[in-house]
Amino acid sequence: MTGAKVIEAAVARLRAEGCGAGAEPHPRAGGLVLPDGSPAPECLRLWAAFDNRYPLNGGRTTVPLADREGVLAVQPMSQVLRWVCLESIEDEIDDETAVYLEELVERFATELGGYGVVLADEHPDPVLWISAAGEVSVLWYRHDRFDRRVPFLDLIAEL
């Protein structure tokens, strides 16, 4: 099934079940771009035509998908990884652990290039990842590894 069909089916189901309340489409959904100016992945543009908030855990996050100008609210994945793996817990760790986590962030940044955004402040940490190839997934970080990965369209299909 194409991305458009997956999102169409999910949106129709959500509306029929009355679960689309509060969803607000982004006015520039079809023209959304990444921070570097390249087009946003199609699945995110299609979702933004229904809601300008990312979906998560059967609902919607408080994280906006894009700003008013139509730029996705994402950062380079290296910054997202640094926050999730290190900065969010910095006051709870010792120097030796910080050094280990710095190395972990560097390794993850090499493996997970592209853009991302932390979807919620919960454990495990859910992170939307847009790979350098434009694939979109949600990853969950727990105990120094990403232990779960769900393609964005699969997440939508499960709503």
Side-chain angles (χ1 to χ4, degrees):
M1 188 181 299
T2 68
K5 295 276 187 205
V6 169
I7 291 174
E8 270 179 31
V11 166
R13 191 174 55 255
L14 289 169
R15 286 186 173 140
E17 295 171 358
C19 298
E24 295 181 24
H26 192 286
R28 297 182 182 197
L32 296 182
V33 296
L34 292 166
D36 66 7
S38 60
E42 179 187 39
C43 62
L44 295 178
R45 288 182 279 128
L46 291 168
W47 179 256
F50 170 66
D51 193 10
N52 190 38
R53 303 279 177 189
Y54 291 102
L56 184 67
N57 300 331
R60 60 196 297 255
T61 69
T62 59
V63 179
L65 200 125
D67 64 19
R68 288 185 188 141
E69 288 75 37
V71 178
L72 288 184
V74 294
Q75 298 177 310
M77 196 62 176
S78 59
Q79 291 177 12
V80 173
L81 294 167
R82 184 166 181 72
W83 169 256
V84 168
C85 300
L86 178 63
E87 292 173 355
S88 65
I89 59 165
E90 225 166 13
D91 59 342
E92 304 169 21
I93 59 174
D94 59 31
D95 291 343
E96 186 177 324
T97 303
V99 169
Y100 163 73
L101 292 175
E102 287 276 3
E103 292 170 359
L104 187 66
V105 167
E106 286 180 33
R107 190 182 86 218
F108 283 151
T110 300
E111 296 169 9
L112 301 169
Y115 290 99
V117 63
V118 178
L119 295 176
D121 184 20
E122 59 185 46
H123 189 75
D125 297 295
V127 174
L128 180 102
W129 173 44
I130 304 169
S131 75
E135 297 167 359
V136 183
S137 299
V138 177
L139 313 171
W140 282 265
Y141 176 78
R142 176 182 18 215
H143 304 301
D144 303 345
R145 65 190 182 99
F146 288 95
D147 62 354
R148 185 172 166 219
R149 176 182 176 187
V150 176
F152 185 78
L153 287 175
D154 289 355
L155 186 87
I156 295 295
E158 293 172 6
L159 290 176

